[in-house]
Amino acid sequence: MSAQPPLSAFRVTGRATWVLLAGAAAGIAWAGYRLTAVVTGGNPVLWVYAAGIVLLVWQLAVAAFDKPSRATDDGAARLAQAEVAVLVPAFNEDDETLRANLEALLRQTHLPAAICVVDDGSTVGDYAAVRDWFLGAAEGAGVTGTWQRQPNGGKRSAQVTAARTAPHADFYVTVDSDTQLDRRAIEETLQPFEDPQVQSVAGTVLVTNYRTNLLTRMQEVWYLSMQMVDRAALSRTGSVLVNSGALATYRAAVLWDNVEHYLAETFRGRPVHTSDDSLLTLFAQQRGRTVHQPSAFAFTNMPSTFDGHRRQQLRWMRGSFLRSGTRFRSLPTDRFAYWYHLVRWVQYSVATMALVALVVSGALLHPAALAMGAVIVGTVQLVVAAPYLTLRRSDQTTAQRVTVFACAPLVGLWYLTVLRVMRWYAMATVGNVSWGTRQSVEVTA
């Protein structure tokens, strides 16, 4: 079993602000043009899309000022003494990928006090070689390494089982088993916790296997764009709604104060196994601020086939729809997160109705309208994806970075067509709260 090379990343932050501001300026100019068309007698449906552009411009403008949190010297000294436990649930994972995950954890500049692995009843093997290597390597690094196997109970159960082996930790880091962390990832996610109001910190997730095919390149630019724009804007208000399960850090109380609810959540009488990261983020939201750290990087595998992509997206979309109802019931109405969430749902609902009306009326089916729509969607997506050009990955050349960025217009069209229909189906089948993937190893190293 060969070790994978370590991965790292950083952003050229000096240029990031200018790229985002340029994108915001382009968005404002475009929105102004469309608003003028409405005011002068254009199609009223344009109001819907103009409102969406205004929201996008706000996101871009706020995200332009996003920067990594830095603790003071005293705060950094205190955080350096913090006890961190990393929770690693594993189910039907590729052996080499799991080993790369654990190697990355043992290379951290802030070494965790404990790395807690739980094999959640995998059916493809027992990871014996990985387990034996890890327990010896952890001991050699001065880290408490634990490895347990339990009957399959789902990711939440595995995380709590792992946490119970390190009950006195100050912070818990959640990491997916197919994820490698940049060597500074844990240290970086701790920085914002100098603020006692901060309850959770989301990392920035990149796609490890982005070079596999067009689908993985699209996922790379799409996910990073969402994190660098939407999540970055929400972070400025302490209102990140969803942390990525691939890398997030929580104050220990976020888990222990809510552990019974976390394990026992049901929907229509069925236990919920999905949407674990959004529920933990909601618990953190109820306690204080939820932010992201743009300088904390993780690399995770994404599906490289349409079937895998479809099943992953349906799981995420069902979980997102289910969690929306929970947020409306649980988020305080005096929090920015509540009203932002409400505005996004109103915008999505009205935009969907407008889109359906345009299709039914035939107005959108005219070749000129389709062409113009494709140009607009592609242009907007290029603006949103512009921050990707500020990224520097250790496994990526300039040409590869530009190639990924060039996929942005395809991402916009994919989202507007295939994923929109998929979301409608997910909403109609929201009662399916099973995991739906990982019946075998899906992505290998």
Side-chain angles (χ1 to χ4, degrees):
M1 184 185 303
S2 62
Q4 295 183 40
L7 297 172
S8 62
F10 66 94
R11 288 184 65 189
V12 186
T13 53
R15 301 175 189 173
T17 298
W18 293 106
V19 170
L20 284 166
L21 285 176
I28 291 171
W30 189 88
Y33 167 74
R34 303 310 281 173
L35 283 171
T36 301
V38 172
V39 172
T40 57
N43 192 325
V45 171
L46 292 176
W47 280 110
V48 177
Y49 295 98
I53 290 297
V54 169
L55 180 60
L56 174 60
V57 168
W58 172 82
Q59 290 176 321
L60 288 164
V62 174
F65 297 97
D66 184 49
K67 61 182 180 179
S69 296
R70 288 287 170 259
T72 62
D73 290 344
D74 288 344
R78 289 193 299 271
L79 290 169
Q81 301 303 312
E83 184 171 321
V84 176
V86 183
L87 313 181
V88 187
F91 178 69
N92 288 354
E93 189 59 79
D94 172 66
D95 280 32
E96 189 172 341
T97 299
L98 180 55
R99 174 162 175 162
N101 168 299
L102 299 171
E103 287 178 336
L105 293 175
L106 292 173
R107 285 194 296 263
Q108 292 297 297
T109 54
H110 182 120
L111 269 179
I115 301 173
C116 314
V117 183
V118 174
D119 173 3
D120 191 39
S122 297
T123 59
V124 298
D126 60 4
Y127 309 118
V130 180
R131 180 187 65 240
D132 294 345
W133 163 82
F134 164 67
L135 294 176
E139 183 179 6
V143 173
T144 300
T146 62
W147 191 295
Q148 301 176 77
R149 179 177 170 86
Q150 66 176 25
N152 182 249
K155 184 177 178 181
R156 300 185 192 197
S157 172
Q159 286 177 327
V160 173
T161 297
R164 283 174 174 155
T165 66
H168 303 300
D170 300 304
F171 300 97
Y172 289 116
V173 179
T174 61
V175 177
D176 289 341
S177 57
D178 61 357
T179 298
Q180 296 181 56
L181 299 189
D182 179 289
R183 63 189 300 270
R184 292 180 57 86
I186 291 178
E187 179 183 355
E188 288 295 320
T189 63
L190 289 176
Q191 297 295 307
F193 285 110
E194 182 181 22
D195 179 354
Q197 291 300 311
V198 171
Q199 300 297 313
S200 74
V201 177
T204 302
V205 180
L206 307 175
V207 177
T208 309
N209 57 330
Y210 76 95
R211 285 179 290 181
T212 302
N213 54 31
L214 178 61
L215 180 60
T216 56
R217 288 183 176 87
M218 287 169 60
Q219 291 175 94
E220 161 85 343
V221 70
W222 178 27
Y223 295 140
L224 191 68
S225 298
M226 289 192 298
Q227 294 172 89
M228 288 185 172
V229 178
D230 182 70
R231 184 182 288 173
L234 287 173
S235 182
R236 297 285 296 179
T237 65
S239 303
V240 169
L241 292 173
V242 184
N243 295 332
S244 297
L247 173 59
T249 302
Y250 301 86
R251 292 191 186 275
V254 171
L255 175 62
W256 295 129
D257 289 355
N258 299 281
V259 66
E260 292 182 4
H261 181 185
Y262 189 56
L263 292 175
E265 184 183 24
T266 60
F267 182 71
R268 296 177 182 172
R270 300 179 61 189
V272 178
H273 294 291
T274 61
S275 200
D276 48 279
D277 43 10
S278 65
L279 185 56
L280 283 173
T281 313
L282 177 59
F283 293 152
Q285 265 280 328
Q286 292 172 322
R287 296 174 58 89
R289 292 171 56 83
T290 54
V291 302
H292 93 136
Q293 179 72 319
S295 52
F297 290 97
F299 301 80
T300 194
N301 287 328
M302 287 292 175
S304 57
T305 65
F306 176 74
D307 183 58
H309 178 63
R310 175 188 61 82
R311 287 183 283 115
Q312 180 196 62
Q313 290 301 312
L314 286 175
R315 184 180 79 242
W316 287 359
M317 291 171 179
R318 288 175 182 133
S320 174
F321 189 46
L322 181 152
R323 189 61 60 227
S324 289
T326 314
R327 291 192 189 105
F328 283 128
R329 294 192 301 270
S330 304
L331 279 176
T333 55
D334 62 348
R335 297 291 298 276
F336 177 86
Y338 178 91
W339 293 105
Y340 176 85
H341 183 237
L342 176 61
V343 167
R344 289 306 301 263
W345 265 110
V346 170
Q347 180 216 357
Y348 176 80
S349 301
V350 176
T352 298
M353 289 187 290
L355 178 64
V356 171
L358 288 172
V359 172
V360 171
S361 68
L364 194 61
L365 302 180
H366 191 279
L370 287 174
M372 178 58 70
V375 169
I376 292 172
V377 169
T379 301
V380 170
Q381 198 62 43
L382 280 171
V383 171
V384 174
Y388 189 79
L389 297 175
T390 70
L391 179 70
R392 300 294 183 269
R393 294 179 54 141
S394 61
D395 61 341
Q396 186 180 67
T397 65
T398 300
Q400 290 168 337
R401 180 167 58 254
V402 173
T403 299
V404 172
F405 173 70
C407 296
L410 295 177
V411 170
L413 295 173
W414 188 256
Y415 183 84
L416 189 63
T417 55
V418 176
L419 293 186
R420 184 172 291 267
V421 174
M422 206 179 290
R423 182 173 292 277
W424 296 340
Y425 176 75
M427 292 164 67
T429 59
V430 67
N432 182 356
V433 289
S434 62
W435 196 257
T437 58
R438 287 287 178 90
Q439 299 311 303
S440 61
V441 175
E442 294 198 345
V443 182
T444 58

